[in-house]
Amino acid sequence: MEEKRKSITKSELIDRISTKLPQLGNKDVELSVKTLIEKIIDSLSKGDRTEVRGFGSFSVHYRKPRIGRNPKTGDSVSLPGKNAAHFKPGKGLRNKINNSQNIDW
């Protein structure tokens, strides 16, 4: 039977950090997490790259215009070019993931 992967919400992340660091108040942790996310978003909206050493980097990649397909009707649809957020995991994160999980592909 395949194991179901669990996602974590922002509020759960805040709770876990608050539990791990009881000397920080819940409001302080919440402000820190929200500020970090906000700063990454601001950086991407300006077209800048943000790097968090050991975790990864966030950047904007341009997707060229292309011809797509409407999945309901099968008709061809012209899709405009657009900017998309891109995350590239850092070496520390990649190593941690690869050494801690046995994933059967």
Side-chain angles (χ1 to χ4, degrees), residues 3 6 9 12 25 27-28 30 33-34 41-43 45 48 54 67 75 78 84 93 95 98 100:
E3 179 184 330
K6 184 182 183 311
T9 65
E12 289 171 337
K27 291 290 179 191
D28 293 332
E30 181 179 359
V33 170
K34 287 183 176 182
I41 291 170
D42 288 346
S43 172
S45 69
D48 295 337
I67 302 296
D75 294 340
S78 178
L93 176 58
N95 290 341
N98 288 328
S100 67

Side-chain angles (χ1 to χ4, degrees), residues 19-47:
T19 301
K20 189 167 185 162
L21 301 170
Q23 67 272 25
L24 297 177
N26 199 33
K27 291 290 179 191
D28 293 332
V29 173
E30 181 179 359
L31 179 62
S32 298
V33 170
K34 287 183 176 182
T35 302
L36 175 66
I37 293 170
E38 182 180 296
K39 293 301 176 188
I40 291 171
I41 291 170
D42 288 346
S43 172
L44 292 175
S45 69
K46 294 175 187 170

Side-chain angles (χ1 to χ4, degrees), residues 83-100:
N83 289 317
H86 176 76
F87 174 73
K88 181 178 179 185
K91 184 177 180 181
L93 176 58
R94 280 194 319 266
N95 290 341
K96 181 98 174 172
I97 291 170
N98 288 328
N99 294 331
S100 67

